[in-house]
Amino acid sequence: MTSLSLQTIHEVQTTLYQEALHLDAQRWDEWLGLFTQDAVFWLPAWTDEHRLSTSPERELSLIYCAARAGLEDRVWRVRSGLSVASKPLPRTSHAVTNCVVTPDPDDSERVMVDSSWTCHVYELKQRTQHVFFGTYQHHLECRQGLWRITHKKVILMNDQIPTMLDFYCI
């Protein structure tokens, strides 16, 4: 197995931390810029107590975007005000931890990252707060010296959703 330099691990982890900070600051362009054009974003649904859906094409997903264009559409809806459920946007605070970076054995310019996350959400309308939590599975690729997300799978552990759910609170 190929080992990764500490510099590479640091750069990859920093990319994930930047993603979380961009979401919290609602810097949508910077957030989208971390994804490649062909990036997949997937939040599978639980099919029972211990099994997630395994195919976004054949089973239920809470969110599935087959390319960055799907994320761009979601951002457009938030910005345009057409997403009534997102008005006003909640305040969020993401924490990403336990980032384990693994090299892709077939491509030295790619890595996989497993991590844990929480997102504290404060709903302004209802004056309520809650916490979403789970794990992330990211695939990143180094393009022109920068690490970019090519695939993000979000596993939401507490899927009893008290309010609406979108990309900025997971």
Side-chain angles (χ1 to χ4, degrees), residues 12 30 89 94 115 128 130:
V12 168
E30 291 92 336
L89 281 170
H94 287 76
S115 60
T128 58
H130 54 276

Side-chain angles (χ1 to χ4, degrees), residues 113-128:
V113 186
D114 291 299
S115 60
S116 300
W117 64 273
T118 60
C119 183
H120 296 259
V121 179
Y122 180 68
E123 297 286 348
L124 296 159
K125 276 186 199 173
Q126 296 86 8
R127 297 185 187 266
T128 58

Side-chain angles (χ1 to χ4, degrees), residues 16 97-102 112-116 135-138:
L16 299 189
T97 64
N98 303 334
C99 297
V100 177
V101 183
T102 308
M112 292 149 302
V113 186
D114 291 299
S115 60
S116 300
T135 60
Y136 290 141
Q137 295 173 353
H138 284 87

Side-chain angles (χ1 to χ4, degrees), residues 9-28:
I9 293 169
H10 172 74
E11 290 171 1
V12 168
Q13 289 175 339
T14 298
T15 301
L16 299 189
Y17 302 149
Q18 286 174 330
E19 181 192 11
L21 290 172
H22 291 331
L23 286 170
D24 293 339
Q26 300 174 7
R27 292 192 303 258
W28 310 128

Side-chain angles (χ1 to χ4, degrees), residues 129-159:
Q129 57 188 329
H130 54 276
V131 179
F132 292 118
F133 62 91
T135 60
Y136 290 141
Q137 295 173 353
H138 284 87
H139 294 200
L140 290 90
E141 184 176 292
C142 191
R143 294 190 178 178
Q144 300 172 342
L146 299 171
W147 288 98
R148 294 295 172 247
I149 300 164
T150 61
H151 186 271
K152 180 177 180 179
K153 181 178 177 182
V154 180
I155 299 170
L156 179 62
M157 297 299 198
N158 60 330
D159 60 334

